[in-house]
């Protein structure tokens, strides 16, 4: 177990050093490439943010109104028959909706 802890503590610094070494070998400007990636990441965040806020509001409204609990209570017997824990049902119900909303940002 101590070997796993030791390796997990070294994983991120080793990955960073590996990326820098690869960039130097390929003669790329590592920091400029990093900044371009960070800029692109921020653009993606700004595109997804309104959708994310809308999903949080919709999920909060479903939970507060009791509709989500009602749906879970309706399908709980079927889920219990297959020995699936009912605690994951809110995620299973909301996941397809959130996945569809984020597909339009994958380019």
């Amino acid at each position: 177990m101590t070997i796993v802890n030791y390796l997990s503590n070294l994983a991120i610094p080793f990955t960073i050093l590996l990326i820098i070494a690869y960039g130097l070998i390929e003669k790329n400007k590592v920091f400029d490439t990093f900044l371009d990636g960070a800029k692109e990441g921020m653009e993606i965040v700004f595109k997804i943010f309104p959708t994310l806020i809308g999903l949080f509001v919709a999920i909060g409204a479903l939970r507060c109104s009791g509709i989500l609990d009602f749906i879970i209570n309706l399908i709980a017997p079927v889920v219990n028959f297959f020995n699936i824990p009912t605690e994951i049902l809110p995620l299973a119900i909301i996941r397809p909706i959130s996945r569809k909303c984020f597909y339009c940002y994958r380019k």
Side-chain angles (χ1 to χ4, degrees):
M1 193 63 172
T2 59
I3 293 173
V4 173
N5 287 335
Y6 181 72
L7 291 175
S8 66
N9 288 335
L10 290 177
I12 292 178
F14 179 73
T15 303
I16 292 170
L17 289 175
L18 186 68
I19 291 169
I20 291 172
Y22 181 76
L24 291 174
I25 290 170
E26 293 291 320
K27 298 187 185 212
N28 289 336
K29 295 181 179 180
V30 178
F31 190 70
D32 290 339
T33 305
F34 169 76
L35 289 179
D36 290 341
K39 187 170 92 173
E40 183 179 328
M42 289 303 295
E43 290 172 1
I44 291 171
V45 167
F46 286 128
K47 287 180 183 177
I48 290 176
F49 192 70
T51 304
L52 193 60
I53 294 297
L55 282 172
F56 283 144
V57 170
I59 291 168
L62 283 174
R63 285 192 177 207
C64 289
S65 68
I67 292 174
L68 196 58
D69 292 330
F70 177 74
I71 294 170
I72 290 170
N73 288 334
L74 273 176
I75 61 177
V78 175
V79 172
N80 288 333
F81 178 76
F82 292 108
N83 292 327
I84 299 173
T86 56
E87 291 83 13
I88 66 166
L89 285 179
L91 179 64
I93 293 170
I94 300 299
R95 173 87 172 146
I97 298 168
S98 64
R99 184 171 229 183
K100 183 175 177 111
C101 292
F102 287 114
Y103 271 138
C104 58
Y105 296 108
R106 298 176 89 194
K107 291 183 180 181

